[in-house]
Amino acid sequence: MSDNTNVMIAGVGGQGTVLASKILGLAAMKAGMDVKQSEIHGMSQRGGSVVTHVRFGDKVHSPLVTKGSADVIMAFEELEGLRYLPYLKKTGLIIMNKQQMLPMPVIMGAAQYPVAPVEEIANLEAKEIAVDASGTGLALGDARTANVVLLGVLAAALPFPDEVWHESLRESLKPGLVEVNMKAFRAGQEAAMAM
Amino acid sequence: MTKYELLSGNEAIARGVYEAGVKVAAAYPGTPSTEILENVARYDRILSQWAPNEKVALEVAAGASIAGAKAFAAMKHVGLNVAADPLMTFSYTGVNGGMVLVSADDPAMHSSQNEQDNRYYGLIAKLPVLEPADSGEAKDFTLKAYEISEVFDTPVILRTTTRVNHSKSFVAINEPAEITVKDYKKDPGKYVMTPANAVGRHKAVEERRLALTEYAGQTELNRVEAGSGDFGDIGFITAGISYQYLKEIMPDASYLKLGLLWPLNENMILDFAAGVKQVIVVEELEPVLETQIRAMGVSCRGKDIIPRQGELSEETLRRALAGAGLPVWVTPEPAYVSEQKLPVRPPILCPGCSHRGMFYTLNAMELCVSGDIGCYALGSAAPFESIDTTICMGASVGGAFGMELARGDGFAEGCVAVIGDSTFFHSGITGLMDIVYNKGRSTVIVLDNSTTAMTGHQDNPGTGKDIKGEPAPLIDIEMLGASLGIRRVRTVDPFDLKACREALEEELAAPEVSLIVARRACALYSKLRDPACRVEEGDCVGCKACLKLGCPALSVSDGKAKVDALMCVGCGLCTQVCPKHAIRKAGGSHE
Ligand code: SF4
Ligand code: SF4
């Protein structure tokens, strides 16, 4: 695989991963790169495990990231972070949202939710940034901005100028939601700096 | 300077339809094709419609084309089975205005019941098949398809796969052509396919095939990329998304990248094969290209090394090529794998889903359920596990009647057909006629959530709105049932578990056909939101009876039930199933 940057966004259907990958793809485009990204539709959106791939660089052919080659994994949920771990590069970065959502087999008592995913990943050589994005979003007045908080964390790890991100946010969000999401984005950036 | 946008394959096809000057577009929603028509409908000048099924969509497009307009239809792979009848003969009549049909295939069955390879339809119907490899090509090929359609007097199949429909890449945005409508002249020899006329048209189809074969050797839809260096001697013949994976793996090999997959031009293939030492045909699913290429006498590798089932990926191809002795770097074992056993996370019915009450009841009554296609197929998963069969759109109704015939009245007393509103309009009505006409006694339940939910909430003939959200006549399911002569037609609220059970018990016992309409708006679409229920901890005995609802907002830990107040939409089902009345609606009452 070439020198492209590979990002994966994992979560639970309905958590806003699709919007996050849209904004990221747009930002990469505005930063002058070739971009390919996958989307999700249909069945898995109903509360299932979902993942989108975003790849950018000089020339991208495949829209999909292969195992062991993700530079960054953004996990909107802890179990989903563990699930996609095999895609992470040895020296990659994983951004973990500190949130646990029980899947149906766990609710039904047929399976166990994994123990302390954030700690398990902290013991690896890869870098981890764990944030309570929903909490941060809630403090800003809208828990649904959690996805943009996480994008702010991601932005700190990518070489795109701020304007590029701001433009992408403005173009992707309903006008009424821009302001609170701009704050959420900044909060994410600050959280990353603090690490 | 050309402007570029980052679009999905589906958005790109819609853009192509717009730029080509299409006037009439029709589809039935189906993953991965749905967003094509949704995006087409945003262009005001195009007359767009959701048709009740794919056959009607294609017939509308065929009529528009014969009348002189450029026309378009889109469907998922299995939808083309429904539309296959008009397709085969529309191939004979040919077009007047250009006509393009999208067949969106779903290798790996991300959201489908099978993974048939619809490139074969090109061979059966003798229609040109184009396949793009990314969004940029998706738009360009759509425009090209209209050109081919009018020049060669043929409908054209634009075949895509999920990874192209649902991946984004750059698309050049150009000015749209004007919408023009060609003259229409009555021409029975061309458009009335009685046997005498069809004989003549079949001849025209064969002549067209020859002309297209020659065209395949010249068109830029097919291109050779000469390789270089050590691997230049390896020649891949490939198309669609497989091309992209290969370019990641062996960028310097030689490629014959096909955009027009049928018909193939023999000289083009032979020339390419002669220029390399080894030919490898790489395609997802069936050996459609390989079989034809072998028949030309080319010795090549293909399905002996490339998997025939599921999707390809960069990883699968690396392994396959390395296994065949090619100098390919194989993806190493991942650096990290969690040490814990990770539970799966299957999709589930939403909190407040209007289907939940009915599936809970079907499960509790241990009925045999002839199922159908839609969100409610999730009724086959735990904890409901209530569905016995799922085959195709509409099959629940005929299927239940067949079971009744096979096993008799005693069995029919414990067997129902379950079908969604959109699926009922799609192809459930004819099955119902069959039960009436042939004096059956089956019980058919229409789960009417007043939208086409699974594919993202499209309108249908029962929602009272058209594709643009404008008011439209609403087709009344109960009146339709009554007009078929069904005497036992009743409506229930699926949030009322007692009413559901009563309706089922009475209708199953009745020795004649019954139609139950369980009506409640889809929770996700209607944004149902009543205050969350709460658990009176003192009353809860931890029996987990409520978990049989499979509601993601409910869980039991440390012997007590919990309601996730953020997720709960207050549908009240759990308040009805708790034997201790421990769950209360906000406000404190028991129900
Ligand atoms: S059904 Fe009632 S008593 Fe049983 S666990 Fe649920 S809330 Fe508690
Ligand atoms: S917790 Fe109860 S009331 Fe709330 S959505 Fe689930 S079943 Fe309905």
Coordinates of all heavy atoms in Angstrom, one line a residue, chain B residues 267-309:
Chain B
N267 N -10.9 -9.7 -31.0 CA -9.6 -9.2 -31.4 C -8.9 -8.4 -30.3 O -7.7 -8.6 -30.1 CB -9.7 -8.3 -32.6 CG -10.0 -9.1 -33.9 OD1 -9.7 -10.3 -33.9 ND2 -10.7 -8.5 -34.8
M268 N -9.7 -7.6 -29.6 CA -9.1 -6.8 -28.5 C -8.5 -7.7 -27.4 O -7.4 -7.5 -26.9 CB -10.2 -5.9 -27.9 CG -9.8 -5.1 -26.7 SD -11.2 -4.2 -26.0 CE -12.2 -5.5 -25.4
I269 N -9.3 -8.8 -27.1 CA -8.8 -9.7 -26.1 C -7.6 -10.5 -26.5 O -6.6 -10.6 -25.8 CB -9.9 -10.7 -25.7 CG1 -11.2 -10.0 -25.3 CG2 -9.5 -11.7 -24.7 CD1 -11.3 -9.5 -23.9
L270 N -7.6 -10.9 -27.8 CA -6.5 -11.7 -28.3 C -5.2 -10.9 -28.4 O -4.1 -11.3 -28.0 CB -6.8 -12.3 -29.7 CG -7.9 -13.4 -29.7 CD1 -8.2 -13.9 -31.1 CD2 -7.6 -14.6 -28.8
D271 N -5.4 -9.6 -28.8 CA -4.2 -8.7 -28.9 C -3.6 -8.5 -27.5 O -2.4 -8.5 -27.4 CB -4.7 -7.3 -29.4 CG -4.8 -7.3 -30.9 OD1 -4.5 -8.4 -31.5 OD2 -5.3 -6.3 -31.5
F272 N -4.5 -8.3 -26.6 CA -3.9 -8.0 -25.2 C -3.2 -9.3 -24.7 O -2.1 -9.2 -24.2 CB -5.1 -7.6 -24.3 CG -4.6 -7.4 -22.8 CD1 -3.9 -6.3 -22.5 CD2 -4.9 -8.4 -21.9 CE1 -3.5 -6.1 -21.2 CE2 -4.4 -8.2 -20.5 CZ -3.7 -7.0 -20.2
A273 N -3.8 -10.4 -24.9 CA -3.2 -11.7 -24.4 C -1.9 -11.9 -25.1 O -1.0 -12.4 -24.4 CB -4.2 -12.8 -24.7
A274 N -1.8 -11.6 -26.4 CA -0.6 -11.8 -27.1 C 0.6 -11.0 -26.6 O 1.8 -11.3 -26.7 CB -0.8 -11.6 -28.6
G275 N 0.3 -9.8 -26.0 CA 1.3 -8.9 -25.5 C 1.8 -9.2 -24.1 O 2.7 -8.5 -23.6
V276 N 1.3 -10.2 -23.4 CA 1.7 -10.5 -22.1 C 2.1 -12.0 -22.0 O 1.7 -12.8 -22.8 CB 0.7 -10.1 -21.0 CG1 0.5 -8.6 -21.0 CG2 -0.6 -10.8 -21.3
K277 N 2.8 -12.3 -20.9 CA 3.1 -13.8 -20.8 C 2.0 -14.6 -20.1 O 1.9 -15.7 -20.3 CB 4.4 -13.9 -19.9 CG 5.7 -13.6 -20.7 CD 6.8 -14.4 -20.1 CE 8.1 -14.1 -20.8 NZ 9.0 -13.2 -20.0
Q278 N 1.3 -13.9 -19.2 CA 0.3 -14.6 -18.4 C -1.0 -13.7 -18.3 O -0.9 -12.5 -18.0 CB 0.9 -14.8 -17.0 CG 0.0 -15.5 -16.1 CD 0.6 -15.9 -14.8 OE1 -0.1 -16.6 -14.1 NE2 1.7 -15.5 -14.4
V279 N -2.1 -14.3 -18.6 CA -3.4 -13.6 -18.5 C -4.1 -14.0 -17.2 O -4.3 -15.2 -17.0 CB -4.3 -13.8 -19.7 CG1 -5.6 -13.1 -19.5 CG2 -3.6 -13.2 -21.0
I280 N -4.6 -13.1 -16.4 CA -5.4 -13.4 -15.2 C -6.7 -12.6 -15.3 O -6.6 -11.4 -15.4 CB -4.6 -13.2 -13.9 CG1 -3.2 -13.8 -13.9 CG2 -5.4 -13.6 -12.7 CD1 -2.4 -13.5 -12.7
V281 N -7.8 -13.3 -15.3 CA -9.1 -12.6 -15.3 C -9.5 -12.5 -13.8 O -9.7 -13.5 -13.1 CB -10.1 -13.4 -16.1 CG1 -11.4 -12.6 -16.1 CG2 -9.6 -13.7 -17.5
V282 N -9.7 -11.2 -13.4 CA -10.1 -11.0 -12.0 C -11.5 -10.3 -12.0 O -11.7 -9.2 -12.5 CB -9.1 -10.1 -11.3 CG1 -9.5 -9.9 -9.8 CG2 -7.7 -10.8 -11.3
E283 N -12.5 -11.1 -11.5 CA -13.9 -10.6 -11.4 C -14.5 -11.1 -10.2 O -14.2 -12.2 -9.7 CB -14.6 -10.9 -12.7 CG -14.7 -12.4 -13.0 CD -15.2 -12.8 -14.4 OE1 -16.1 -12.1 -14.8 OE2 -14.6 -13.7 -15.0
E284 N -15.4 -10.3 -9.6 CA -16.2 -10.8 -8.4 C -17.3 -11.7 -8.9 O -17.8 -11.6 -10.0 CB -16.9 -9.6 -7.7 CG -16.0 -9.0 -6.6 CD -16.6 -7.8 -6.0 OE1 -17.5 -7.2 -6.5 OE2 -16.1 -7.4 -4.9
L285 N -17.7 -12.7 -8.0 CA -18.7 -13.6 -8.3 C -18.4 -14.5 -9.4 O -17.4 -15.2 -9.4 CB -20.1 -12.9 -8.4 CG -20.5 -12.1 -7.2 CD1 -21.8 -11.3 -7.5 CD2 -20.7 -12.9 -6.0
E286 N -19.3 -14.6 -10.4 CA -19.2 -15.6 -11.5 C -18.2 -15.4 -12.5 O -17.8 -14.2 -12.8 CB -20.6 -15.7 -12.1 CG -21.8 -16.0 -11.2 CD -21.6 -17.3 -10.4 OE1 -21.0 -18.3 -10.9 OE2 -22.0 -17.3 -9.2
P287 N -17.7 -16.4 -13.2 CA -16.7 -16.3 -14.3 C -17.4 -15.8 -15.6 O -17.3 -16.5 -16.6 CB -16.1 -17.7 -14.4 CG -17.2 -18.6 -13.9 CD -18.0 -17.8 -12.9
V288 N -18.0 -14.7 -15.5 CA -18.7 -14.2 -16.7 C -17.8 -13.9 -17.8 O -17.9 -14.3 -19.0 CB -19.6 -13.0 -16.4 CG1 -20.4 -12.5 -17.6 CG2 -20.6 -13.4 -15.3
L289 N -16.7 -13.1 -17.5 CA -15.7 -12.7 -18.5 C -14.9 -13.9 -18.9 O -14.6 -14.2 -20.0 CB -14.9 -11.6 -18.0 CG -15.6 -10.3 -17.6 CD1 -14.6 -9.3 -16.9 CD2 -16.2 -9.6 -18.8
E290 N -14.5 -14.6 -17.8 CA -13.5 -15.7 -18.0 C -14.1 -16.8 -19.0 O -13.3 -17.2 -19.9 CB -13.2 -16.3 -16.6 CG -12.2 -17.4 -16.7 CD -12.0 -18.2 -15.4 OE1 -12.4 -17.6 -14.4 OE2 -11.5 -19.3 -15.4
T291 N -15.3 -17.1 -18.8 CA -15.9 -18.2 -19.7 C -15.8 -17.7 -21.1 O -15.5 -18.5 -22.0 CB -17.4 -18.4 -19.3 OG1 -17.4 -18.6 -17.8 CG2 -18.0 -19.6 -20.0
Q292 N -16.2 -16.5 -21.4 CA -16.1 -16.0 -22.8 C -14.7 -15.9 -23.3 O -14.5 -16.2 -24.5 CB -16.8 -14.6 -22.8 CG -18.3 -14.6 -22.4 CD -18.8 -13.1 -22.4 OE1 -19.0 -12.6 -23.5 NE2 -19.0 -12.6 -21.2
I293 N -13.8 -15.5 -22.4 CA -12.4 -15.3 -22.8 C -11.8 -16.7 -23.1 O -11.1 -16.9 -24.1 CB -11.6 -14.5 -21.8 CG1 -12.1 -13.1 -21.8 CG2 -10.1 -14.6 -22.0 CD1 -11.6 -12.2 -20.6
R294 N -12.1 -17.7 -22.3 CA -11.6 -19.0 -22.6 C -12.1 -19.5 -23.9 O -11.4 -20.2 -24.7 CB -12.0 -20.0 -21.5 CG -11.1 -19.8 -20.2 CD -11.5 -20.9 -19.2 NE -10.9 -20.7 -17.9 CZ -9.6 -21.0 -17.6 NH1 -8.9 -21.7 -18.5 NH2 -9.1 -20.8 -16.4
A295 N -13.4 -19.2 -24.2 CA -14.0 -19.7 -25.4 C -13.3 -19.1 -26.6 O -13.5 -19.6 -27.7 CB -15.5 -19.3 -25.4
M296 N -12.6 -18.0 -26.4 CA -11.8 -17.4 -27.6 C -10.5 -18.1 -27.7 O -9.7 -17.8 -28.6 CB -11.6 -15.9 -27.3 CG -12.8 -15.1 -27.2 SD -12.4 -13.4 -26.6 CE -14.1 -12.7 -26.5
G297 N -10.2 -19.1 -26.9 CA -9.0 -19.9 -27.0 C -7.9 -19.3 -26.2 O -6.7 -19.7 -26.4
V298 N -8.1 -18.3 -25.4 CA -7.1 -17.7 -24.5 C -6.9 -18.6 -23.3 O -7.8 -19.0 -22.6 CB -7.5 -16.3 -24.1 CG1 -6.4 -15.7 -23.1 CG2 -7.7 -15.4 -25.3
S299 N -5.6 -19.0 -23.0 CA -5.4 -19.7 -21.8 C -5.2 -18.7 -20.7 O -4.3 -17.8 -20.8 CB -4.3 -20.8 -21.9 OG -3.1 -20.2 -21.7
C300 N -5.9 -18.8 -19.6 CA -5.8 -17.8 -18.6 C -6.1 -18.4 -17.2 O -6.6 -19.5 -17.2 CB -6.8 -16.7 -18.9 SG -8.5 -17.2 -18.9
R301 N -5.8 -17.7 -16.2 CA -6.2 -18.1 -14.9 C -7.4 -17.2 -14.5 O -7.6 -16.2 -15.0 CB -5.1 -17.9 -13.9 CG -3.8 -18.6 -14.4 CD -2.9 -19.0 -13.2 NE -3.5 -20.0 -12.4 CZ -2.8 -20.7 -11.5 NH1 -1.6 -20.4 -11.2 NH2 -3.4 -21.6 -10.8
G302 N -8.2 -17.7 -13.5 CA -9.3 -17.0 -13.1 C -9.9 -17.6 -11.9 O -9.3 -17.6 -10.8
K303 N -11.1 -18.2 -12.0 CA -11.7 -18.7 -10.8 C -11.0 -19.9 -10.2 O -11.4 -20.4 -9.2 CB -13.2 -19.1 -11.2 CG -14.1 -17.9 -11.4 CD -14.2 -17.0 -10.2 CE -14.7 -15.6 -10.5 NZ -14.7 -14.7 -9.3
D304 N -9.9 -20.4 -10.9 CA -9.1 -21.5 -10.2 C -8.4 -20.9 -9.0 O -8.0 -21.6 -8.1 CB -8.2 -22.1 -11.2 CG -7.3 -21.1 -11.9 OD1 -7.7 -20.0 -12.1 OD2 -6.1 -21.4 -12.2
I305 N -8.2 -19.5 -9.1 CA -7.5 -18.9 -7.9 C -8.3 -17.8 -7.2 O -8.1 -17.5 -6.1 CB -6.1 -18.3 -8.4 CG1 -6.2 -17.4 -9.6 CG2 -5.1 -19.4 -8.7 CD1 -5.0 -16.6 -9.9
I306 N -9.2 -17.2 -8.0 CA -10.0 -16.1 -7.4 C -11.3 -16.6 -6.8 O -12.1 -17.3 -7.5 CB -10.3 -15.0 -8.5 CG1 -9.1 -14.7 -9.3 CG2 -11.0 -13.8 -7.9 CD1 -8.0 -13.9 -8.5
P307 N -11.6 -16.3 -5.6 CA -12.9 -16.8 -5.0 C -14.1 -16.4 -5.8 O -14.2 -15.4 -6.4 CB -12.9 -16.1 -3.6 CG -11.5 -15.7 -3.3 CD -10.9 -15.5 -4.6
R308 N -15.1 -17.3 -5.7 CA -16.3 -17.2 -6.5 C -17.4 -16.7 -5.7 O -18.5 -16.3 -6.2 CB -16.6 -18.6 -7.1 CG -17.7 -18.6 -8.1 CD -17.8 -20.0 -8.7 NE -18.7 -20.1 -9.7 CZ -18.6 -20.8 -10.9 NH1 -17.5 -21.5 -11.1 NH2 -19.5 -20.8 -11.8
Q309 N -17.2 -16.7 -4.4 CA -18.3 -16.4 -3.4 C -17.9 -15.1 -2.7 O -16.8 -14.8 -2.4 CB -18.3 -17.5 -2.4 CG -19.7 -18.0 -2.1 CD -19.6 -19.0 -1.0 OE1 -18.9 -20.0 -1.1 NE2 -20.4 -18.8 0.0

